[in-house]
Amino acid sequence: MQTSEKQQSSGTIPGLYNQPMQQIEPYCFSPLQIVPDVSPENDSKPTRVSFQSDNEHYFTLESSPATSCIVYDSPSSTNVSPKLTSFLPQVSQSYFSDNYHSSDNTYGSPNSGCSVVEDGSELRHLLRDLEIKLLEPGSDFDHSFSSASSNQTADIIHGSDLKQVLFACAEAISDENMLTAAKLMDVLENMVSVCGDPIQRLGAYVLEGLRARLLSSGSLIYKKLNCKEPAGSDLMSYMHIFSQICPYYKFAYQSANAVIYEAMEKERRIHIIDFQIAQGGQWVSLIEQLAERPSGPPYIRITGVDDSQSNYARGGGLSIVGQALSKFAASRGVPFEFHGAAMSGCEVELENLGVRLGEEEEEALAVNFPFMLHHVPDESVSTRNHRDQLLRLARSLSPKVVTLVEQESNTNTAAFLPRFRETLDYYTAVFESIDAAARPRDDKQRVSTEEHCVARDIVNIIACEGAERVERHEPFGKWRSRFLMAGYTPCPLSPMVSVVVKEVLKNYSKNYRVEEREEALYLGWKNRVLSTFSAWR
């Protein structure tokens, strides 16, 4: 559904969603907001930004369609590759420069944004060697134990579905029953597939996480295996496809933009601090709307905090984002300035944010935390508690509004087994929602998108502990407590925010749900909440 300037309902923010698409500059911004071509020959005709529908053509990885899909070795899979890409614990927006990640920690290496094992059979050989050593003469295990373990494994498998077998494998690892875990992994290989239904695809990546956890708990170090990553341009295309398949990022960006627009409606000078600037695409539509204010456009300054993954994906530093946003703002007659802070959220200090205090005409400040605070270590990781420290730093700036978007999942301080169950439940809904986009299950782009945008987070949650586990989600209730303790008060959301989000969801499955409660917006798939948005001051 598209909304023109002349057909907007009363009370809506003009053109905040569903605007016609024009020529784009693909290198400038993330796929979530595409910047139009603002070359001189096109300046005479205003260009607007839109969301594309799922059936449109996007980035392609190859000129020819995929002819095979990747699965675990299965007797019935004679026409598909026997290799499954196996992921090291990685993060989608990682804090590689954090002091808690040592120089030899390849889990968080900027040079391995999404790592894969060259040959999945190597893992099976390692597990087989481990089993042989456990059963060799003189070991603590004898053949009677082996027989008992085999019977136990058979009992687990009989009448169990895939989720039950995955959890049984996790229990075996938790109990340090490595022989049972290895046998269950052999069984699971024939039950999962990255080209299967949602639980089979999720199971493939969960199995990789279990393998990584098992191997890193002994003398076999998973992170030493050969690995590779996609080219930056390919990673950008996967991010783009994911944003079109699922509404999670659009939910985050459009909710924040609506709140910031309303908070800054009468301000003449605006400063936005974005703690996860990525490609900067979130701010295109906001600049567009502020340019159309009846009172005239404000002066806008954006400070973008960078991360290594986004730097790699866009193929360069923050100057690329600043130049593109400046060019777009100039095309709309908006006075604009960009300030980059190329560092992780853990490293940010006041002087890095370019806040101008004590000037004759101060700037109204907005702070944006989009899916990033869960990567910042808290008191369970470090006594410095960077997470609460960052919240207090932002509060000290007296912002007019602070926006927060996070996954609604409880994996931060949970022990391994509760965390494993929560991960299974949460990502089952995510993979079901991906399926709703109706892409073929053997579609190579969909497989690559799930691998690079979802799977690495799953592996990190399951396989890692301590500082190496950087995916540390908390439910909204815990975020609410943190913000209140840091001195914030919640901002009631106007009806306009729900209107904007519901308009975005019209382009997606009807199984998505949005609900407002506790002064927050909850986005869910069927009955499972997946993301929350809230605003603070």
Side-chain angles (χ1 to χ4, degrees), residues 225-236:
L225 298 175
N226 293 329
C227 58
K228 63 183 180 181
E229 66 178 357
S233 58
D234 287 343
L235 185 56
M236 279 284 286

Side-chain angles (χ1 to χ4, degrees), residues 231-384:
S233 58
D234 287 343
L235 185 56
M236 279 284 286
S237 73
Y238 302 146
M239 293 163 59
H240 178 82
I241 292 169
F242 187 71
S243 74
Q244 300 301 324
I245 289 175
C246 302
Y248 307 121
Y249 288 112
K250 290 177 182 176
F251 164 76
Y253 290 0
Q254 296 297 1
S255 298
N257 284 0
V259 167
I260 293 172
Y261 178 91
E262 290 185 324
M264 303 297 180
E265 189 172 8
K266 297 180 180 180
E267 299 294 339
R268 296 179 57 189
R269 299 178 66 85
I270 299 171
H271 182 194
I272 299 170
I273 299 177
D274 187 350
F275 276 92
Q276 190 68 64
I277 190 68
Q279 316 311 317
Q282 172 176 356
W283 307 115
V284 175
S285 62
L286 183 62
I287 292 173
E288 181 90 20
Q289 308 321 311
L290 290 171
E292 298 173 357
R293 290 194 323 188
S295 60
Y299 169 88
I300 301 175
R301 192 157 62 92
I302 293 179
T303 293
V305 179
D306 200 19
D307 67 278
S308 300
Q309 188 76 3
S310 295
N311 188 307
Y312 173 76
R314 66 176 171 256
L318 284 169
S319 61
I320 295 176
V321 177
Q323 290 167 8
L325 284 173
S326 296
K327 184 178 180 181
F328 181 77
S331 74
R332 298 298 179 265
V334 177
F336 182 84
E337 182 181 345
F338 181 83
H339 172 71
M343 61 189 64
S344 77
C346 299
E347 299 172 317
V348 171
E349 302 288 347
L350 176 60
E351 56 267 24
N352 304 127
L353 299 176
V355 177
R356 297 170 183 171
L357 301 174
E359 295 190 0
E360 184 175 338
E361 187 173 5
E362 291 188 3
E363 300 167 331
L365 179 65
V367 175
N368 187 44
F369 290 118
F371 291 122
M372 63 79 58
L373 276 178
H374 71 271
H375 288 136
V376 180
D378 71 343
E379 66 278 6
S380 67
V381 180
S382 165
T383 55
R384 294 185 63 185

